[in-house]
């Protein structure tokens, strides 16, 4: 099955700085890579996703890049704000196409 | 986005009792739903895939007789934790594929289970 690794596990940045979270995956059949934001005790919320036919996608302060050859994808948050503080999970859909395999999560803290 | 409702949000029960958790897609039909378990400060671990009208597919290491899943309709899947024990205490979250885009999963709000 798919194996998704995520780094770093914790990340602290000053407000206004950028944050980068990186994930790698093992199954070359994966073609969909979502990123979820989860606040404490709440449901994961989809913040951005990318499909394997593109290399980059941007939505305001959030961007995701994908390198299919190297099997890694990254989340970039610019101009971070305190409300960006949360746990972020990457995921890949593996060869079944339906199931999601999640990374171990990154706890992001934005310091005011 | 699509709405997934999960109930109850919190349950406390005695050891040995069974607990049922419901997951509903409110504004779309979901032929496939997923059940995850999440320990504190850890990732979401897929427990099983719930398919409407057929048996659930369990991930390796998940006891199907312990975690009973029933997907009786296109909008409802239930997870029953049978004979719960303290080690079953966890945060359980369901998700469902939206009707518009097969690959997008929308999550329920989760159920915090505490077994005394």
């Amino acid at each position: 099955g798919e194996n998704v690794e995520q780094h770093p596990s914790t990340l602290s940045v000053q407000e206004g700085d950028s944050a980068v979270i990186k994930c790698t995956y093992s199954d070359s059949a994966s073609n969909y890579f979502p990123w979820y934001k989860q606040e404490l005790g709440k449901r994961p919320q989809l913040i951005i996703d990318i499909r394997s036919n593109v290399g980059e996608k941007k939505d305001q302060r959030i961007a995701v890049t994908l390198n299919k050859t190297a099997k890694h994808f990254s989340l970039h948050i610019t101009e971070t704000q305190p409300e960006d503080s949360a746990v972020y999970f990457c995921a890949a859909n593996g060869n079944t196409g339906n199931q999601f395999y999640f990374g171990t999560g990154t706890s992001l803290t934005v310091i005011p | 986005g699509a709405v997934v409702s999960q109930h109850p949000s919190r349950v406390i029960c005695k050891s040995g009792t069974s607990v049922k958790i419901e997951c509903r897609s409110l504004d779309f039909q979901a032929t496939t739903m997923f059940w995850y378990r999440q320990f504190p400060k850890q990732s979401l671990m897929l427990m099983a895939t719930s398919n409407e009208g057929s048996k659930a597919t369990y991930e390796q290491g998940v006891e199907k007789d312990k975690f009973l899943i029933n997907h009786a309709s296109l909008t409802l899947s239930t997870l029953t934790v049978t004979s719960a024990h303290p080690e079953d205490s966890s945060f359980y979250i369901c998700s469902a594929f939206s009707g518009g885009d097969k690959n997008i999963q929308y999550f329920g709000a989760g159920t915090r289970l505490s077994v005394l």
Side-chain angles (χ1 to χ4, degrees):
Chain A
E2 176 66 279
N3 181 41
V4 179
E5 295 189 356
Q6 183 172 346
H7 299 280
S9 57
T10 60
L11 179 61
S12 293
V13 298
Q14 289 291 136
E15 182 177 0
D17 288 349
S18 296
V20 180
I21 302 171
K22 299 182 178 181
C23 288
T24 61
Y25 62 99
S26 61
D27 192 340
S28 58
S30 288
N31 59 9
Y32 178 68
F33 308 91
W35 285 88
Y36 285 86
K37 175 183 179 182
Q38 186 180 29
E39 297 178 12
L40 187 63
K42 296 187 177 180
R43 76 185 78 198
Q45 299 273 11
L46 178 69
I47 57 171
I48 196 168
D49 56 12
I50 191 168
R51 301 183 190 276
S52 59
N53 57 346
V54 298
E56 184 175 0
K57 183 178 179 180
K58 188 174 182 180
D59 182 3
Q60 299 182 340
R61 297 186 296 109
I62 298 173
V64 57
T65 59
L66 171 65
N67 184 326
K68 288 177 57 180
T69 303
K71 296 197 188 70
H72 66 71
F73 56 113
S74 300
L75 177 71
H76 305 252
I77 305 174
T78 58
E79 301 172 27
T80 53
Q81 302 167 2
E83 50 266 38
D84 294 330
S85 297
V87 178
Y88 292 80
F89 293 99
C90 63
N93 63 342
N95 60 9
T96 66
N98 292 337
Q99 297 177 358
F100 284 4
Y101 298 88
F102 285 85
T104 49
T106 297
S107 178
L108 173 64
T109 302
V110 180
I111 303 167
Chain B
V3 178
V4 175
S5 174
Q6 186 172 342
H7 180 81
S9 59
R10 177 70 191 263
V11 59
I12 302 172
C13 68
K14 293 181 178 180
S15 184
T17 60
S18 294
V19 175
K20 179 183 283 188
I21 303 169
E22 293 187 349
C23 182
R24 294 180 185 273
S25 55
L26 296 186
D27 52 359
F28 65 98
Q29 293 183 333
T31 56
T32 302
M33 292 184 175
F34 301 93
W35 288 96
Y36 296 86
R37 184 173 181 177
Q38 186 176 34
F39 291 102
K41 298 185 179 181
Q42 293 191 22
S43 188
L44 294 134
M45 293 182 58
L46 180 65
M47 298 175 65
T49 302
S50 173
N51 300 296
E52 188 269 335
S54 64
K55 292 183 178 180
T57 303
Y58 290 82
E59 294 298 296
Q60 190 174 7
V62 178
E63 300 176 58
K64 62 180 181 181
D65 295 329
K66 173 74 171 178
F67 300 99
L68 299 178
I69 292 173
N70 183 27
H71 197 149
S73 74
L74 287 172
T75 59
L76 174 64
S77 175
T78 61
L79 169 68
T80 301
V81 183
T82 62
S83 186
H85 288 93
E87 58 265 30
D88 299 324
S89 299
S90 189
F91 193 54
Y92 294 88
I93 309 180
C94 68
S95 72
F97 277 127
S98 69
D101 189 319
K102 186 182 180 184
N103 273 334
I104 295 180
Q105 286 190 31
Y106 292 96
F107 285 84
T111 298
R112 175 75 58 192
L113 171 63
S114 298
V115 185
L116 305 178

